[in-house]
PDB file of all heavy atoms in Angstrom:
ATOM      1  N   MET C 209      77.299 -43.423 100.466  1.00  0.00           N
ATOM      2  CA  MET C 209      77.396 -43.165  99.024  1.00  0.00           C
ATOM      3  C   MET C 209      78.278 -41.951  98.802  1.00  0.00           C
ATOM      4  O   MET C 209      78.369 -41.076  99.659  1.00  0.00           O
ATOM      5  CB  MET C 209      76.016 -42.838  98.449  1.00  0.00           C
ATOM      6  CG  MET C 209      75.033 -43.977  98.509  1.00  0.00           C
ATOM      7  SD  MET C 209      73.458 -43.431  97.785  1.00  0.00           S
ATOM      8  CE  MET C 209      72.432 -44.850  98.218  1.00  0.00           C
ATOM      9  N   VAL C 210      78.863 -41.900  97.602  1.00  0.00           N
ATOM     10  CA  VAL C 210      79.622 -40.718  97.219  1.00  0.00           C
ATOM     11  C   VAL C 210      79.241 -40.343  95.793  1.00  0.00           C
ATOM     12  O   VAL C 210      78.990 -41.211  94.949  1.00  0.00           O
ATOM     13  CB  VAL C 210      81.143 -40.955  97.338  1.00  0.00           C
ATOM     14  CG1 VAL C 210      81.623 -42.090  96.449  1.00  0.00           C
ATOM     15  CG2 VAL C 210      81.928 -39.677  97.034  1.00  0.00           C
ATOM     16  N   ASP C 211      79.156 -39.054  95.559  1.00  0.00           N
ATOM     17  CA  ASP C 211      78.851 -38.515  94.232  1.00  0.00           C
ATOM     18  C   ASP C 211      79.883 -37.428  93.985  1.00  0.00           C
ATOM     19  O   ASP C 211      79.941 -36.445  94.717  1.00  0.00           O
ATOM     20  CB  ASP C 211      77.432 -37.930  94.256  1.00  0.00           C
ATOM     21  CG  ASP C 211      77.004 -37.412  92.886  1.00  0.00           C
ATOM     22  OD1 ASP C 211      77.859 -37.330  91.979  1.00  0.00           O
ATOM     23  OD2 ASP C 211      75.816 -37.091  92.739  1.00  0.00           O
ATOM     24  N   LEU C 212      80.731 -37.647  92.982  1.00  0.00           N
ATOM     25  CA  LEU C 212      81.820 -36.711  92.718  1.00  0.00           C
ATOM     26  C   LEU C 212      81.738 -36.203  91.288  1.00  0.00           C
ATOM     27  O   LEU C 212      81.489 -36.985  90.369  1.00  0.00           O
ATOM     28  CB  LEU C 212      83.152 -37.434  92.944  1.00  0.00           C
ATOM     29  CG  LEU C 212      84.432 -36.676  92.567  1.00  0.00           C
ATOM     30  CD1 LEU C 212      85.549 -37.041  93.528  1.00  0.00           C
ATOM     31  CD2 LEU C 212      84.878 -36.973  91.142  1.00  0.00           C
ATOM     32  N   THR C 213      81.942 -34.909  91.110  1.00  0.00           N
ATOM     33  CA  THR C 213      82.107 -34.384  89.750  1.00  0.00           C
ATOM     34  C   THR C 213      83.347 -33.497  89.726  1.00  0.00           C
ATOM     35  O   THR C 213      83.660 -32.808  90.698  1.00  0.00           O
ATOM     36  CB  THR C 213      80.903 -33.532  89.292  1.00  0.00           C
ATOM     37  OG1 THR C 213      80.723 -32.473  90.233  1.00  0.00           O
ATOM     38  CG2 THR C 213      79.633 -34.355  89.207  1.00  0.00           C
ATOM     39  N   LEU C 214      84.036 -33.549  88.614  1.00  0.00           N
ATOM     40  CA  LEU C 214      85.203 -32.696  88.414  1.00  0.00           C
ATOM     41  C   LEU C 214      85.043 -32.097  87.019  1.00  0.00           C
ATOM     42  O   LEU C 214      85.091 -32.804  86.008  1.00  0.00           O
ATOM     43  CB  LEU C 214      86.483 -33.543  88.518  1.00  0.00           C
ATOM     44  CG  LEU C 214      87.810 -32.793  88.532  1.00  0.00           C
ATOM     45  CD1 LEU C 214      87.883 -31.779  89.656  1.00  0.00           C
ATOM     46  CD2 LEU C 214      88.966 -33.782  88.644  1.00  0.00           C
ATOM     47  N   GLU C 215      84.824 -30.795  86.988  1.00  0.00           N
ATOM     48  CA  GLU C 215      84.554 -30.113  85.716  1.00  0.00           C
ATOM     49  C   GLU C 215      85.769 -30.131  84.795  1.00  0.00           C
ATOM     50  O   GLU C 215      86.910 -30.109  85.261  1.00  0.00           O
ATOM     51  CB  GLU C 215      84.195 -28.642  85.978  1.00  0.00           C
ATOM     52  CG  GLU C 215      82.872 -28.459  86.668  1.00  0.00           C
ATOM     53  CD  GLU C 215      82.623 -26.978  86.967  1.00  0.00           C
ATOM     54  OE1 GLU C 215      83.017 -26.123  86.138  1.00  0.00           O
ATOM     55  OE2 GLU C 215      82.045 -26.697  88.029  1.00  0.00           O
ATOM     56  N   ALA C 216      85.500 -30.093  83.507  1.00  0.00           N
ATOM     57  CA  ALA C 216      86.575 -30.038  82.516  1.00  0.00           C
ATOM     58  C   ALA C 216      87.528 -28.882  82.829  1.00  0.00           C
ATOM     59  O   ALA C 216      88.745 -28.998  82.653  1.00  0.00           O
ATOM     60  CB  ALA C 216      85.990 -29.890  81.111  1.00  0.00           C
ATOM     61  N   ALA C 217      86.988 -27.783  83.343  1.00  0.00           N
ATOM     62  CA  ALA C 217      87.820 -26.608  83.619  1.00  0.00           C
ATOM     63  C   ALA C 217      88.822 -26.849  84.748  1.00  0.00           C
ATOM     64  O   ALA C 217      89.763 -26.076  84.922  1.00  0.00           O
ATOM     65  CB  ALA C 217      86.934 -25.410  83.963  1.00  0.00           C
ATOM     66  N   ALA C 218      88.622 -27.914  85.529  1.00  0.00           N
ATOM     67  CA  ALA C 218      89.561 -28.232  86.611  1.00  0.00           C
ATOM     68  C   ALA C 218      90.835 -28.857  86.063  1.00  0.00           C
ATOM     69  O   ALA C 218      91.830 -28.987  86.774  1.00  0.00           O
ATOM     70  CB  ALA C 218      88.909 -29.186  87.606  1.00  0.00           C
ATOM     71  N   PHE C 219      90.791 -29.266  84.795  1.00  0.00           N
ATOM     72  CA  PHE C 219      91.936 -29.911  84.151  1.00  0.00           C
ATOM     73  C   PHE C 219      92.741 -28.875  83.373  1.00  0.00           C
ATOM     74  O   PHE C 219      92.204 -27.862  82.932  1.00  0.00           O
ATOM     75  CB  PHE C 219      91.432 -30.986  83.175  1.00  0.00           C
ATOM     76  CG  PHE C 219      90.749 -32.160  83.834  1.00  0.00           C
ATOM     77  CD1 PHE C 219      89.447 -32.063  84.321  1.00  0.00           C
ATOM     78  CD2 PHE C 219      91.410 -33.380  83.965  1.00  0.00           C
ATOM     79  CE1 PHE C 219      88.816 -33.144  84.924  1.00  0.00           C
ATOM     80  CE2 PHE C 219      90.781 -34.463  84.562  1.00  0.00           C
ATOM     81  CZ  PHE C 219      89.486 -34.349  85.044  1.00  0.00           C
TER      82      PHE C 219
END
Side-chain angles (χ1 to χ4, degrees):
Chain C
M209 295 180 188
V210 60
D211 183 350
L212 173 146
T213 57
L214 188 57
E215 291 177 36
F219 293 77

